[in-house]
Amino acid sequence: LNSDSQFEDKYFKMGQMPDEELNEWAKTSSENEMFGPYFDGESYKIARTIEIASLPDSVKARHILLGTKGMSPAQKDSVKQKADSLLKVVRRGAKFASLASNFSEDPGSANKGGDLGWFPEGMMVKPFNDFCFKGKKGAVEVVETSYGYHIIEVLDKGRPSRKVKVAILERKV
């Protein structure tokens, strides 16, 4: 709230942070540990480790999108019920690919059986991204995003590595 730069709500792999000293510190930091203050360019900064997790660099998933843009709350409830019904059908062993082809409103993946292929963290909207990266391989669930309801199946995950979520308070001088 008091920073001159916005909080980047994402996990950084070791070596991905913009400052070399910060990268070195993050390798061994623990949650809530602070680094700084330090001078960078024309700003003073203080960094704090928010969260540490073992996450993959990328995941492979597929989904069925039931859109809700511009709908009333009653219409959204109806779409949610349809999503829950499709989830039950998927969990009973129905062919995900044919359901995606028939029901998904995502034209880019519907014709591929809902397959999104491999994607890196941060490429999808936050609730979608969080389910794919924090969920287990094989997990199937309904997730709501700004686009609507997604029935998501996590197909595969890359090898996990240490990642940190860091908040940086910046004051330009």
Side-chain angles (χ1 to χ4, degrees), residues 43-145:
S43 300
Y44 276 105
K45 297 180 178 180
I46 297 175
R48 179 175 159 227
T49 306
I50 302 296
E51 193 175 340
I52 299 171
S54 182
L55 298 170
D57 285 338
S58 60
V59 297
K60 183 178 183 182
R62 58 185 176 179
H63 79 135
I64 300 168
L65 170 63
L66 303 176
T68 59
K69 282 200 177 225
M71 291 186 173
S72 69
Q75 291 171 316
K76 284 183 180 183
D77 286 345
S78 174
V79 173
K80 172 72 165 115
Q81 288 174 359
K82 184 177 179 181
D84 290 339
S85 295
L86 282 171
L87 177 64
K88 288 177 186 173
V89 171
V90 167
R91 286 184 174 163
R92 280 192 226 127
K95 298 221 184 270
F96 196 103
S98 67
L99 291 172
S101 296
N102 292 328
F103 294 102
S104 185
E105 295 174 31
D106 177 3
S109 68
N111 60 357
K112 296 184 270 183
D115 191 2
L116 297 167
W118 288 91
F119 55 90
E121 184 174 9
M123 187 173 165
M124 304 296 181
V125 292
K126 187 159 176 43
F128 194 107
N129 186 81
D130 289 350
F131 175 76
C132 291
F133 280 85
K134 291 183 178 180
K136 295 182 190 248
K137 179 180 170 181
V140 182
E141 198 58 67
V142 173
V143 175
E144 183 180 10
T145 71

Side-chain angles (χ1 to χ4, degrees), residues 1-8 43-47 167-172:
L1 294 173
N2 297 304
S3 183
D4 289 339
S5 60
Q6 266 193 297
F7 172 61
E8 232 182 313
S43 300
Y44 276 105
K45 297 180 178 180
I46 297 175
I168 299 175
L169 175 64
E170 177 178 10
R171 272 299 192 205
K172 293 181 181 170

